[in-house]
């Protein structure tokens, strides 16, 4: 019995030891877990807890300034301004409508626009919600003096864009505005926030990523309702200001072109052919972007949007037209290069030509008589180009259009460019379900019918002639500079857009013929400047069945200079204006101003010509 008792006692003791060991092991594991949780992972969990309990307030970056090529006086800068916020949770719920009504009156906005900015369940939010930007110091002072009447209303600095140069340059610079919900959905991953300012058009939109800079952030530790609970935990990351941009534009040439075009619906392009730099780009009508940062913003945008003249439209790059007789430059290149007819062979113009049962009338009803190729271009004889165009055939005409870059985007650094229209027999069949006929070829031979080009495309076509077959991509951004030091961070270099093989002899003869348009052709009576020798081509495009015409003029100067010293000028006046044959007249003023270093008033005084005369009838 004693042996049995000892065994039982031994077993019991062993079990107790095992239980104790297991308990100790579990306790040790638990201690290790607590140590890991509190000591090793404690900092990580504390950081996560702070992240969950923190709020981030963006600090807007100063938007970059924009300069013309001289980099002296900014075209656009920022002026001090404020944005007004509302913190709904700091207002008694039943008083929120009253406060919104009162603040809307002071801000000169409607209550609906404020409510549209508030998210769902906004009454519980301690986060400031921006309800109006572009608020003046006087208005903020007015609110501050009566702050007891406006619980939950606060404000912060938010500079407003201010355009020192307005007028025609508005299409180049564009404007900015608050980001929309739709835009935010697209751009959220690029760092844009709900209250971000975004370029809406022009350079402001094209280069928004450089101009906008990088917003700073202020972190605050808050409770679940957004109230500050630990001011010592605040952290601020300062914003990085946007870069300054230097454009290729010359503001003096821009103003000269603007005044030369006047209040006529149309456009002007001045281009450096050797680089592709755009020195001026004018489109009328235009708008004043500064009104978008006033209390009249919504009213003005609505008015401009409904204006049938489309003032938001940059006609130099976004509108395309039949090139009319300016197209005869390309036809002349094709005739010379393909040797369709000998250039000295004369074709008799009797004022009309018959194709099938249809009669095509030349712009000179009595006819030009016998003309060779040089005379045909100088006098812009339709019969000459109809005759040779029919012999050449539509396929060769289309080939040379492509060689000159027609029907393709120029790649200019502005949004919304049009590629124009280069029609082909296949295009006509697919579009109108009808075949290409001889009349279509005749129309295309003189730049009429279906073909359409933009003013910038025609400027490129002239540049190709001067550059011996090379077109450089037209561009507006010249340099990106540091906003603090002014140091050049990036300089844009000329980029070849298109090269074509056309004999130098062909292009040299073509330049001589274009000079003949000025010295003894259709432009002789109007291009009177003595400041430079120019070469070019007039164009008059018939519009519809009415007695209305578009007026074109394409030119370059000086005639005998190397491309790096030349400029290309393209002027276009739409048929919506009263007929004045104004395109070559405007070009005359522009050429005088550029090469005599004169402004508009000085150019007019120097020319002393009949620019105010309004000849009746149409001139090619």
């Amino acid at each position: 019995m004693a042996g049995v008792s000892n065994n039982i006692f031994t077993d019991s003791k062993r079990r107790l030891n095992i239980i104790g060991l297991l308990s100790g092991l579990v306790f040790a594991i638990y201690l290790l877990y607590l140590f890991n949780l509190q000591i090793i992972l404690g900092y990580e969990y504390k950081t996560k807890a702070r992240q969950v309990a923190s709020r981030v307030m963006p600090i807007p970056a100063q938007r970059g300034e924009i300069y013309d090529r001289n980099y002296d006086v900014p075209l656009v800068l920022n002026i001090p301004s404020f944005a007004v916020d509302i913190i709904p949770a700091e207002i008694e719920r039943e008083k929120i409508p009253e406060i919104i009504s009162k603040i809307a009156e002071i801000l000169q906005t409607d209550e609906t626009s404020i409510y549209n900015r508030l998210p769902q369940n906004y009454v519980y939010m301690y986060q400031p919600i921006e309800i109006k930007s572009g608020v003046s110091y006087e208005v903020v002072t007015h609110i501050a003096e009566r702050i007891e009447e406006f619980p939950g209303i606060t404000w912060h600095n938010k500079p407003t864009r201010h355009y020192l140069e307005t007028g025609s340059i508005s299409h180049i610079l564009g404007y900015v505005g608050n980001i929309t919900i739709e835009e935010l959905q697209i751009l959220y991953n690029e760092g844009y926030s709900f209250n971000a300012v975004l370029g809406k058009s022009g350079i402001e939109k094209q280069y928004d990523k450089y101009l906008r800079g990088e917003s700073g952030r202020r972190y605050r530790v808050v409770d679940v309702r957004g109230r500050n609970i630990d001011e010592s935990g605040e952290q601020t990351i300062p914003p990085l200001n946007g870069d300054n941009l230097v454009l290729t534009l010359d503001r003096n040439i821009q103003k000269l072109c603007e005044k030369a075009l006047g209040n006529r619906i149309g456009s002007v392009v001045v281009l450096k052919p050797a680089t592709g730099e755009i020195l001026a780009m004018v489109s009328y009508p235009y708008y004043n972007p500064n009104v978008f940062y006033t209390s009249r913003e919504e009213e003005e945008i609505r008015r401009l949007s409904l204006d049938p003249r489309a003032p938001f439209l940059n006609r130099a790059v976004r509108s395309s037209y039949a090139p009319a007789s300016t197209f005869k430059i390309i036809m002349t290149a094709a005739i010379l290069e393909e040797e369709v007819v000998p250039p000295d062979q004369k074709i008799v113009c009797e004022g009309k030509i018959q194709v099938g049962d249809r009669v095509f009338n030349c712009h000179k009803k009595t006819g030009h008589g016998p003309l060779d190729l040089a005379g045909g271009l100088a006098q812009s004889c339709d019969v000459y180009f109809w005759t040779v165009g029919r012999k050449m055939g539509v396929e060769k005409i289309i080939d040379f259009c492509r060689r000159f870059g027609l029907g393709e985007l120029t790649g200019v650094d502005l949004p919304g460019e049009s590629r124009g229209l280069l029609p082909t027999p296949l295009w006509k069949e697919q579009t109108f379900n009808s075949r290409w006929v001889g009349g279509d070829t005749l129309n295309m031979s003189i730049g009429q019918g279906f073909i359409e080009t933009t003013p910038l495309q025609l400027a490129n076509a002239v540049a190709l002639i001067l550059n011996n077959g090379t077109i450089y991509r037209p561009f507006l951004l010249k340099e990106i500079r540091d906003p603090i030091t002014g140091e050049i961070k990036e300089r844009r270099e000329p980029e070849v857009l298109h090269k074509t093989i056309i004999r130098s002899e062909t292009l040299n003869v073509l330049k001589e013929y274009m000079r003949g348009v000025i010295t003894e052709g259709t432009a002789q009576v109007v291009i009177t400047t003595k400041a430079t020798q120019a070469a070019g081509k007039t164009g008059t495009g018939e519009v519809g069945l009415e007695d209305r015409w578009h007026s074109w003029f394409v030119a370059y100067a000086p005639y005998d200079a190397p491309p790096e010293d030349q400029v290309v000028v393209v002027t276009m006046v739409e048929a919506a204006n009263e007929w004045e044959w104004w395109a070559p007249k405007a070009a005359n003023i522009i050429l005088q101003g550029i090469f005599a270093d004169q402004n508009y008033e000085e150019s007019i005084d120097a020319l002393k010509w009949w620019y105010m005369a309004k000849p009746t009838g149409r001139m090619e």
Side-chain angles (χ1 to χ4, degrees):
M1 290 294 295
V4 174
S5 298
N6 288 334
N7 288 337
I8 293 174
F9 176 77
T10 302
D11 291 340
S12 298
K13 186 176 181 180
R14 186 182 297 114
R15 291 190 187 99
L16 288 173
N17 289 336
I18 292 173
I19 292 172
L21 182 62
L22 291 174
S23 299
L25 182 61
V26 170
F27 184 70
I29 293 173
Y30 182 69
L31 286 177
L32 288 172
Y33 176 75
L34 289 178
F35 178 82
N36 180 68
L37 190 66
Q38 295 183 10
I39 306 301
I40 298 178
L41 298 179
Y43 180 78
E44 179 181 342
Y45 286 130
K46 185 177 180 180
T47 301
K48 288 183 178 180
R50 279 186 169 273
Q51 291 174 348
V52 170
S54 68
R55 292 290 184 270
V56 182
M57 292 290 293
I59 305 174
Q62 188 91 339
R63 197 167 177 86
E65 297 177 345
I66 304 176
Y67 295 79
D68 80 333
R69 66 187 300 110
N70 299 303
Y71 190 57
D72 48 6
V73 179
L75 302 171
V76 54
L77 44 72
N78 305 293
I79 59 174
S81 180
F82 298 88
V84 173
D85 306 319
I86 187 171
I87 306 176
E90 292 186 354
I91 310 172
E92 295 180 27
R93 188 178 305 182
E94 62 275 8
K95 291 187 177 181
I96 289 179
E98 176 188 348
I99 298 298
I100 289 179
S101 177
K102 290 171 64 176
I103 198 65
E105 182 178 355
I106 291 177
L107 296 177
Q108 294 185 328
T109 188
D110 59 274
E111 298 176 34
T112 302
S113 66
I114 294 179
Y115 281 110
N116 288 340
R117 289 178 172 267
L118 303 179
Q120 292 183 344
N121 300 321
Y122 65 89
V123 294
Y124 302 107
M125 293 187 63
Y126 278 90
Q127 288 290 100
I129 304 167
E130 184 179 306
I131 56 175
K132 178 73 173 179
S133 60
V135 180
S136 68
Y137 175 76
E138 290 74 19
V139 172
V140 169
T141 301
H142 179 82
I143 297 172
E145 291 173 347
R146 298 161 178 80
I147 193 62
E148 70 280 355
E149 300 177 20
F150 300 101
I153 299 298
T154 185
W155 53 87
H156 63 274
N157 288 322
K158 188 176 183 181
T160 298
R161 211 66 166 147
H162 182 67
Y163 299 86
L164 298 177
E165 293 284 344
T166 55
S168 63
I169 206 168
S170 62
H171 289 114
I172 306 299
L173 299 179
Y175 63 97
V176 301
N178 289 327
I179 194 169
T180 65
I181 294 176
E182 294 76 16
E183 290 167 335
L184 182 60
Q185 290 174 343
I186 298 172
L187 299 172
Y188 180 77
N189 290 331
E190 297 182 25
Y192 290 85
S193 62
F194 181 74
N195 292 325
V197 170
L198 179 69
K200 299 291 186 176
S201 68
I203 290 294
E204 295 276 26
K205 179 177 181 179
Q206 185 76 20
Y207 294 110
D208 188 76
K209 66 178 181 179
Y210 297 111
L211 288 166
R212 73 185 182 96
E214 185 176 336
S215 295
R217 294 177 296 280
R218 179 175 293 112
Y219 296 91
R220 298 184 299 118
V221 180
V222 299
D223 62 16
V224 294
R225 303 185 73 180
R227 293 175 294 191
N228 284 352
I229 59 174
D230 184 7
E231 293 185 2
S232 64
E234 287 194 6
Q235 179 186 5
T236 299
I237 299 176
L240 297 176
N241 291 341
D243 293 320
N244 291 342
L245 303 185
V246 180
L247 305 184
T248 62
L249 290 179
D250 185 310
R251 65 175 180 274
N252 297 318
I253 298 178
Q254 179 78 15
K255 184 61 68 174
L256 170 69
C257 295
E258 178 183 311
K259 290 188 173 182
L261 180 63
N263 296 337
R264 300 170 182 87
I265 299 175
S267 59
V268 179
V269 174
V270 180
L271 179 76
K272 290 189 71 174
T275 61
E277 294 172 81
I278 297 172
L279 300 179
M281 181 181 284
V282 170
S283 178
Y284 183 85
Y286 34 78
Y287 58 92
N288 182 353
N290 288 324
V291 300
F292 300 156
Y293 312 111
T294 68
S295 59
R296 295 160 42 215
E297 174 187 1
E298 295 179 4
E299 174 188 344
E300 283 297 312
I301 290 179
R302 188 182 305 109
R303 181 185 65 82
L304 292 168
S305 299
L306 295 176
D307 190 330
R309 302 175 305 162
F312 282 123
L313 182 66
N314 184 348
R315 287 169 161 79
V317 296
R318 299 186 66 182
S319 290
S320 55
Y321 317 83
S325 291
T326 62
F327 185 75
K328 292 170 184 173
I329 295 173
I330 296 174
M331 287 293 295
T332 300
I335 293 167
L336 290 167
E337 185 73 4
E338 297 296 318
E339 301 178 346
V340 182
V341 296
D344 58 353
Q345 177 180 324
K346 293 191 176 180
I347 294 173
V348 178
C349 169
E350 297 179 344
K352 61 184 178 181
I353 186 174
Q354 185 164 349
V355 178
D357 59 354
R358 184 178 174 187
V359 175
F360 291 80
N361 294 304
C362 185
H363 70 90
K364 187 175 183 180
K365 298 293 191 286
T366 58
H368 291 97
L371 292 171
D372 59 11
L373 180 54
L377 184 67
Q379 302 304 322
S380 198
C381 177
D382 294 332
V383 169
Y384 184 96
F385 287 95
W386 281 332
T387 302
V388 182
R390 183 164 55 171
K391 184 174 183 180
M392 184 187 305
V394 65
E395 295 302 333
K396 283 186 179 178
I397 296 175
I398 292 171
D399 173 48
F400 270 80
C401 288
R402 292 194 173 111
R403 294 196 197 190
F404 277 81
L406 302 191
E408 297 295 334
L409 297 174
T410 69
V412 65
D413 46 349
L414 283 175
E417 182 188 7
S418 168
R419 65 173 61 246
L421 175 61
L422 179 57
T424 65
L426 178 61
W427 169 86
K428 185 184 179 187
E429 184 177 348
Q430 293 176 338
T431 305
F432 298 105
N433 195 28
S434 60
R435 64 184 184 86
W436 191 274
V437 297
D440 295 325
T441 301
L442 263 63
N443 278 331
M444 193 169 180
S445 298
I446 62 167
Q448 296 280 178
F450 301 116
I451 188 169
E452 293 183 355
T453 63
T454 67
L456 186 57
Q457 285 176 327
L458 285 184
N460 265 1
V462 176
L464 178 145
I465 298 168
L466 306 181
N467 293 330
N468 203 30
T470 298
I471 297 175
Y472 290 94
R473 186 184 304 279
F475 65 101
L476 284 158
L477 178 60
K478 182 182 179 184
E479 296 167 350
I480 301 173
R481 289 181 177 253
D482 185 276
I484 306 299
T485 65
E487 179 184 353
I488 297 175
K489 299 174 66 173
E490 183 179 339
R491 179 182 282 114
R492 295 296 168 92
E493 300 295 335
E495 176 187 353
V496 173
L497 172 68
H498 177 74
K499 277 192 174 185
T500 190
I501 299 176
I502 298 179
R503 291 174 298 175
S504 298
E505 300 90 325
T506 294
L507 297 175
N508 289 334
V509 171
L510 178 56
K511 286 184 278 189
E512 292 176 11
Y513 289 176
M514 291 174 68
R515 175 63 180 158
V517 173
I518 308 296
T519 58
E520 56 193 51
T522 55
Q524 182 182 15
V525 297
V526 66
I527 303 300
T528 61
T529 177
K530 303 300 182 184
T532 185
Q533 289 187 335
K537 182 69 187 78
T538 54
T540 305
E542 189 173 1
V543 179
L545 300 176
E546 301 179 17
D547 192 25
R548 312 284 296 182
W549 303 286
H550 293 318
S551 177
W552 283 97
F553 190 68
V554 300
Y556 70 90
Y559 163 66
D560 55 356
E564 53 267 25
D565 297 329
Q566 294 173 321
V567 296
V568 174
V569 177
V570 174
T571 53
M572 196 280 165
V573 179
E574 291 186 11
N577 305 278
E578 182 181 354
W579 174 252
E580 300 173 278
W581 202 40
W582 192 261
K585 295 181 181 182
N588 194 41
I589 299 169
I590 294 166
L591 291 169
Q592 173 70 27
I594 290 175
F595 291 100
D597 193 22
Q598 296 174 335
N599 61 28
Y600 172 78
E601 291 75 18
E602 292 168 338
S603 297
I604 290 294
D605 185 60
L607 291 170
K608 298 185 184 303
W609 65 303
W610 52 279
Y611 70 94
M612 289 301 294
K614 300 178 181 180
T616 58
R618 153 172 96 102
M619 302 183 73
E620 287 284 322

